Amino acid sequence: MSLLKIASMIVVLTLVGRLLGFFRSVYVSSLYGTGMEADAFNIAATIPLTLFLVIPGAVNAVLIPTMRGMMEKGERTTDLYQKMLTIILGIFVALSALGVVFSYQLAAMFGLTGEKLELTASMLQWMWPSAIFIGLTGLWSSICNAHQHFFTPTLGTVVNGALVIVSMYVLVPMYGPIGLAMATTIGYLAALLPILPTLRGFGYQQRFSFAWREDAALKGMGERVIPILIGAVVAQATTFLERGFAEGLGTGVVSALANANQIMQLPLAIFVGAFTLPLFPLLASHVKRGEMTEMKQILQKGLAYLLILLLPVTVGLTLYAEPIIRLAFERGAFDEHSVALTAWALPFYGVGLFFLASRDLLTRAFYALENTKTPVMIGAIGIGVYALANWLLIPLLGHGGIALANAVSAISQALLLFILLWRAVGSPVRANFLMTTGKTILGCAVMAGAILFVDPWLSVLPVWLYLPLGIMGAALLYLVVLILVREPLVSELLQKVRKRSTPVGGRS
């Protein structure tokens, strides 16, 4: 299957999964607005969400290069899988038990007191078992990806989102806000279900193996996983810092930032997942074969697609921030004050969109090179930049400064990773990447000018009509500009669409 076909499949499934997650947020916001219950849920959900962002990526980064190398040599991978299954289950069962016991202390670390502290701690106790399911998801999805299979792991996000929504509708009327936490854990369990039949199809059986000591492959993975885990935790540390900074600005700010971030994560998850997931095994394979030119060509193509797709999204999030939030969330307890709080943060998050995506792709390039220390170092620098930016920006922009600090940190990390990768393997991109950048900026400038020009007339329409018309018109204009300036990636994409739509043998 070609890269574009894989990417298209991942885009569709990720879009459905993210939309379901978005509807979950809409449901929570309609019940609790940006009140205490919503803040407690968003703080408690930080831990399983961080595990979900850290663990699958870390397992993926160490397991795929090792398994691809074994497959290239024709070696069996089932024994390695059973050893990994034993280790991961043991670690995450213990982690889950400790989390349940110390939930109160963990909640207190966010600076919470009183009723909010009690509610957050209770939610955490219900959410901690999800750590076991997240660990298994990381292992199982990595096995599938190593076999160039991406469908069922991505389908798991759809099943997760669907079951969370159904569970919330059932459990919240019965158990109140605690039902949100119960539904979250059920969702992480549901994400596992589609992957299991695929593993069986590849010949993997769910057995334990304790023969770790003499396994050279496992030892090599163990040496690499620690810095990768540290780097992943460092990369997500800004989420915990954000909750702390936001809690200090009053009730509602945590939820406002979480809702704005939810909107920003939609395009980020869709396009990063579409290109990072299928590209990483290819990068690792080329590195294993010493094909560095091909490796850099794939990396450049991924960066170029991310630029073309995400830069106009940044423009849209900036110019349409308030109507986006109004259409998405304004109902029930989510009132005008909640709209204003959330809309203020959204454009600042959008500034970092492309750089967050680039950071993740460049990090994978280092992992493909089996260099796990550099991303850790850059991640640590990113935390320092984030903390400093908050100190400077919060007095000027309030909670908007927290969102902008996130973007500033992402920009600094992406640029440093790019420079260090250049020093390691030579220029990761060629001159034509600069041409793509210029054409993309031109397209975004024309699009932004058109949005500002027609907005006085278009904005008199109801928001449910105004926003879709504005977005569709802007996207079409952007595409036309890229076609007129003959951007090769757009031309390539259109040619593939024409080929698929042309009847075989010219017959209809």
Side-chain angles (χ1 to χ4, degrees), residues 401-425:
I402 299 175
L404 185 56
N406 184 283
V408 170
S409 177
I411 292 168
S412 68
Q413 291 178 68
L415 291 176
L416 286 172
L417 285 168
F418 185 86
I419 292 169
L420 293 175
L421 186 62
W422 191 328
R423 291 179 61 182
V425 300

Side-chain angles (χ1 to χ4, degrees), residues 434-444 481-482 485-488:
L434 297 178
M435 293 293 294
T436 295
T437 302
K439 293 172 183 177
T440 302
I441 292 172
L442 174 63
C444 288
V481 172
L482 291 187
V485 297
R486 298 182 179 180
E487 168 52 42

